[in-house]
Amino acid sequence: MFSPSTERNRCHILPILQRALPDTASVLEVGSGTGEHAVYFCAHMPGLHWQPTEGDPAAIDSITAWISHSGLSNIEAPLELELNSEAWPVQHADAVVAINVLHYSPWSSTAALFRGAARMLPKGGIVYCYGPYRRNGAHTAPSNAAFDEWLHGIDPRFGVRDLEAVEAEAREHGFLLDEVIEMPANNFSLIFRREA
């Protein structure tokens, strides 16, 4: 499977991850989609140990195929992960990466993401979230408002989230918003750290 948005955004996300993550780190990716992000990041950051996860069986097949095609040894076989489950298939990681996940899932998944990350990350561990967000209750661009409407049409529970609401939810689970980085196409990179 191919994702045009992955091809567009990965080169912008890479330098953020290179700066935010330790040179050697175990990373749990939530909602790995096609698998293209995992392969791209691991090819450029060989010190990472990457664990992709997905809830969609077709996506798991795609991730497996991308890993096989890449020949990389620092990516594990994908695991099935239901974000809202209390039993995640990985017990420990140094970072959790969620790219274009929160707006494609019910609001309850935001709490589930940080609740699960709190169970497995050490003090100082990172949660990286990428996607569009509303700021101060308003969309940052007309295209994001249109995208939000489109998401609601797919599933009324989906939608572009308020950055401040995500930050508050993260804080409830012991994560502080360390950085907000404006990205191309009216997206944001959010870096949360687990409180020491």
Side-chain angles (χ1 to χ4, degrees):
M1 293 165 60
F2 294 88
S3 167
S5 64
T6 297
E7 195 168 17
R8 288 192 301 269
N9 66 35
R10 63 189 183 185
C11 62
H12 301 291
I13 295 172
L14 176 63
I16 307 294
L17 294 181
Q18 287 174 320
R19 179 169 56 77
L21 298 177
D23 289 339
T24 57
S26 58
V27 178
L28 175 71
E29 184 185 17
V30 173
S32 299
T34 62
E36 294 166 274
H37 275 138
V39 167
Y40 184 80
F41 298 146
C42 285
H44 288 83
M45 294 186 284
L48 295 186
H49 183 86
W50 198 276
Q51 177 61 68
T53 66
E54 250 299 337
D56 177 7
I60 286 181
D61 289 344
S62 177
I63 297 163
T64 302
W66 273 107
I67 294 171
S68 176
H69 176 72
S70 75
L72 293 168
S73 60
N74 56 333
I75 313 177
E76 293 294 321
L79 299 174
E80 187 172 344
L81 170 64
E82 168 51 51
L83 198 52
N84 286 281
S85 169
E86 294 298 320
W88 284 14
V90 174
Q91 305 304 313
H92 172 81
D94 299 306
V96 172
V97 168
I99 298 171
N100 289 327
V101 169
L102 298 185
H103 52 278
Y104 276 111
S105 56
W107 172 248
S108 61
S109 295
T110 299
L113 172 70
F114 289 104
R115 187 168 58 245
R119 289 195 302 266
M120 62 183 305
L121 294 182
K123 305 299 183 184
I126 289 171
V127 174
Y128 172 82
C129 297
Y130 171 90
Y133 295 92
R134 292 160 52 103
R135 305 288 311 260
N136 303 309
H139 287 291
T140 60
S143 60
N144 282 5
F147 181 53
D148 193 28
E149 189 174 334
W150 180 79
L151 286 168
H152 284 301
I154 296 174
D155 188 323
R157 300 172 302 165
F158 294 0
V160 175
R161 305 303 176 197
D162 285 305
L163 193 154
E164 294 79 12
V166 175
E167 180 182 7
E169 192 63 56
R171 200 180 309 115
E172 285 287 317
H173 299 282
F175 290 88
L176 296 179
L177 181 56
D178 200 36
E179 283 190 77
V180 177
I181 304 149
E182 291 189 17
M183 305 289 283
N186 304 302
N187 289 302
F188 293 90
S189 284
L190 310 181
I191 299 175
F192 299 90
R193 287 187 192 275
R194 189 170 183 207
E195 292 184 84

